[in-house]
Short mmCIF file of all heavy atoms in Angstrom, two decimals:
data_model
loop_
_atom_site.label_atom_id
_atom_site.label_comp_id
_atom_site.label_asym_id
_atom_site.label_seq_id
_atom_site.Cartn_x
_atom_site.Cartn_y
_atom_site.Cartn_z
N ILE A 508 -5.42 -9.20 20.33
CA ILE A 508 -6.19 -10.17 19.59
C ILE A 508 -6.76 -9.45 18.30
O ILE A 508 -6.74 -10.04 17.14
CB ILE A 508 -7.33 -10.82 20.45
CG1 ILE A 508 -6.50 -11.65 21.58
CG2 ILE A 508 -8.20 -11.66 19.58
CD1 ILE A 508 -7.65 -12.08 22.42
N SER A 509 -7.32 -8.29 18.45
CA SER A 509 -8.04 -7.68 17.36
C SER A 509 -7.73 -6.08 17.50
O SER A 509 -7.53 -5.54 18.53
CB SER A 509 -9.51 -7.98 17.33
OG SER A 509 -10.07 -7.44 18.52
N SER A 510 -7.77 -5.46 16.30
CA SER A 510 -7.61 -4.02 16.34
C SER A 510 -8.60 -3.31 15.30
O SER A 510 -8.90 -3.80 14.29
CB SER A 510 -6.29 -3.56 15.95
OG SER A 510 -6.03 -2.23 15.71
N TRP A 511 -9.17 -2.18 15.68
CA TRP A 511 -10.10 -1.50 14.84
C TRP A 511 -9.42 -1.09 13.50
O TRP A 511 -10.11 -0.99 12.54
CB TRP A 511 -10.53 -0.19 15.53
CG TRP A 511 -9.46 0.77 15.76
CD1 TRP A 511 -8.53 0.82 16.68
CD2 TRP A 511 -9.17 1.95 14.97
NE1 TRP A 511 -7.68 1.90 16.62
CE2 TRP A 511 -8.24 2.64 15.54
CE3 TRP A 511 -9.90 2.53 13.91
CZ2 TRP A 511 -7.65 3.85 14.93
CZ3 TRP A 511 -9.46 3.80 13.34
CH2 TRP A 511 -8.39 4.29 13.82
N LYS A 512 -8.05 -0.98 13.58
CA LYS A 512 -7.38 -0.45 12.39
C LYS A 512 -7.33 -1.56 11.22
O LYS A 512 -7.12 -1.24 10.05
CB LYS A 512 -5.94 -0.04 12.76
CG LYS A 512 -5.88 1.14 13.60
CD LYS A 512 -4.41 1.46 13.94
CE LYS A 512 -3.91 0.61 14.95
NZ LYS A 512 -2.61 1.05 15.56
N ASP A 513 -7.55 -2.87 11.66
CA ASP A 513 -7.44 -3.89 10.68
C ASP A 513 -8.74 -3.90 9.90
O ASP A 513 -8.77 -4.79 8.82
CB ASP A 513 -7.32 -5.20 11.33
CG ASP A 513 -5.92 -5.24 11.88
OD1 ASP A 513 -4.94 -4.58 11.41
OD2 ASP A 513 -5.61 -6.06 12.89
N ALA A 514 -9.85 -3.37 10.24
CA ALA A 514 -11.03 -3.34 9.47
C ALA A 514 -10.87 -2.59 8.16
O ALA A 514 -10.41 -1.38 8.19
CB ALA A 514 -12.24 -2.73 10.26
N ALA A 515 -11.12 -3.09 6.99
CA ALA A 515 -10.96 -2.42 5.80
C ALA A 515 -11.70 -1.07 5.62
O ALA A 515 -11.20 -0.18 5.01
CB ALA A 515 -11.35 -3.39 4.59
N ILE A 516 -12.88 -1.08 6.26
CA ILE A 516 -13.65 0.14 6.25
C ILE A 516 -13.01 1.34 6.84
O ILE A 516 -13.33 2.48 6.64
CB ILE A 516 -15.11 0.02 6.84
CG1 ILE A 516 -15.03 -0.40 8.33
CG2 ILE A 516 -15.84 -0.95 5.98
CD1 ILE A 516 -16.31 -0.57 9.11
N VAL A 517 -12.04 1.10 7.82
CA VAL A 517 -11.29 2.19 8.52
C VAL A 517 -10.53 3.00 7.51
O VAL A 517 -10.46 4.27 7.51
CB VAL A 517 -10.40 1.66 9.47
CG1 VAL A 517 -9.40 2.74 10.03
CG2 VAL A 517 -11.23 1.05 10.69
N SER A 518 -9.93 2.42 6.53
CA SER A 518 -9.24 3.17 5.47
C SER A 518 -10.02 3.70 4.43
O SER A 518 -9.66 4.51 3.62
CB SER A 518 -8.13 2.32 4.92
OG SER A 518 -8.80 1.22 4.16
N GLY A 519 -11.26 3.48 4.34
CA GLY A 519 -12.12 3.80 3.18
C GLY A 519 -11.80 3.06 1.86
O GLY A 519 -11.95 3.49 0.87
N ALA A 520 -11.17 1.73 2.11
CA ALA A 520 -10.70 1.18 1.09
C ALA A 520 -11.73 0.40 0.34
O ALA A 520 -12.85 0.29 0.73
CB ALA A 520 -9.59 0.04 1.51
N ASP A 521 -11.37 -0.06 -0.87
CA ASP A 521 -12.31 -1.01 -1.67
C ASP A 521 -12.64 -2.19 -0.78
O ASP A 521 -11.86 -2.85 -0.32
CB ASP A 521 -11.61 -1.41 -2.97
CG ASP A 521 -12.35 -2.23 -3.75
OD1 ASP A 521 -13.54 -2.65 -3.45
OD2 ASP A 521 -11.86 -2.71 -4.84
N PRO A 522 -13.99 -2.37 -0.57
CA PRO A 522 -14.49 -3.49 0.26
C PRO A 522 -13.95 -4.83 -0.29
O PRO A 522 -14.00 -5.85 0.29
CB PRO A 522 -15.99 -3.33 0.35
CG PRO A 522 -16.39 -2.52 -0.87
CD PRO A 522 -15.14 -1.59 -1.07
N HIS A 523 -13.62 -4.95 -1.71
CA HIS A 523 -13.17 -6.14 -2.24
C HIS A 523 -11.61 -5.99 -2.41
O HIS A 523 -11.12 -6.49 -3.46
CB HIS A 523 -13.91 -6.33 -3.57
CG HIS A 523 -15.32 -6.33 -3.45
ND1 HIS A 523 -15.95 -7.31 -2.89
CD2 HIS A 523 -16.36 -5.43 -3.79
CE1 HIS A 523 -17.30 -7.14 -2.91
NE2 HIS A 523 -17.58 -6.00 -3.42
N ILE A 524 -11.02 -5.38 -1.53
CA ILE A 524 -9.49 -5.18 -1.61
C ILE A 524 -8.73 -6.49 -1.81
O ILE A 524 -7.79 -6.56 -2.51
CB ILE A 524 -9.01 -4.40 -0.53
CG1 ILE A 524 -7.57 -3.84 -0.78
CG2 ILE A 524 -9.03 -5.25 0.81
CD1 ILE A 524 -7.14 -2.84 0.23
N MET A 525 -9.23 -7.60 -1.23
CA MET A 525 -8.52 -8.83 -1.33
C MET A 525 -8.51 -9.42 -2.73
O MET A 525 -7.87 -10.33 -3.16
CB MET A 525 -9.19 -9.92 -0.42
CG MET A 525 -9.01 -9.37 1.05
SD MET A 525 -7.55 -8.93 1.57
CE MET A 525 -6.67 -10.54 1.78
N ASP A 526 -9.29 -8.74 -3.64
CA ASP A 526 -9.24 -9.10 -5.14
C ASP A 526 -7.87 -8.80 -5.75
O ASP A 526 -7.53 -9.23 -6.82
CB ASP A 526 -10.32 -8.44 -5.93
CG ASP A 526 -11.71 -8.88 -5.54
OD1 ASP A 526 -11.86 -9.97 -4.81
OD2 ASP A 526 -12.76 -8.21 -5.90
N HIS A 527 -7.09 -7.88 -5.08
CA HIS A 527 -5.76 -7.52 -5.62
C HIS A 527 -4.78 -8.45 -5.27
O HIS A 527 -3.54 -8.27 -5.30
CB HIS A 527 -5.37 -6.21 -4.95
CG HIS A 527 -6.34 -4.97 -5.29
ND1 HIS A 527 -6.42 -4.56 -6.54
CD2 HIS A 527 -7.20 -4.41 -4.52
CE1 HIS A 527 -7.30 -3.63 -6.54
NE2 HIS A 527 -7.81 -3.49 -5.38
N ILE A 528 -5.13 -9.80 -4.99
CA ILE A 528 -4.17 -10.83 -4.61
C ILE A 528 -3.32 -11.12 -5.77
O ILE A 528 -2.17 -11.60 -5.66
CB ILE A 528 -4.90 -12.14 -4.11
CG1 ILE A 528 -4.03 -13.09 -3.34
CG2 ILE A 528 -5.73 -12.81 -5.23
CD1 ILE A 528 -4.78 -14.17 -2.70
N GLN A 529 -3.73 -10.93 -7.08
CA GLN A 529 -2.89 -11.12 -8.20
C GLN A 529 -2.42 -9.80 -8.68
O GLN A 529 -3.11 -8.88 -9.08
CB GLN A 529 -3.75 -11.76 -9.32
CG GLN A 529 -4.22 -13.11 -9.07
CD GLN A 529 -3.10 -14.08 -8.81
OE1 GLN A 529 -2.16 -13.94 -9.30
NE2 GLN A 529 -3.37 -15.16 -7.97
N LYS A 530 -1.10 -9.62 -8.68
CA LYS A 530 -0.47 -8.39 -9.25
C LYS A 530 -0.60 -8.29 -10.74
O LYS A 530 -0.59 -9.38 -11.42
CB LYS A 530 1.04 -8.35 -8.87
CG LYS A 530 1.39 -8.61 -7.43
CD LYS A 530 2.90 -8.21 -7.23
CE LYS A 530 3.78 -9.04 -8.00
NZ LYS A 530 3.67 -10.49 -7.74
#
Side-chain angles (χ1 to χ4, degrees):
I508 297 174
S509 61
S510 172
W511 69 282
K512 291 179 285 190
D513 292 335
I516 57 174
V517 169
S518 63
D521 178 358
H523 302 289
I524 193 169
M525 302 306 287
D526 292 345
H527 296 292
I528 194 168
Q529 296 296 333
K530 305 189 305 297

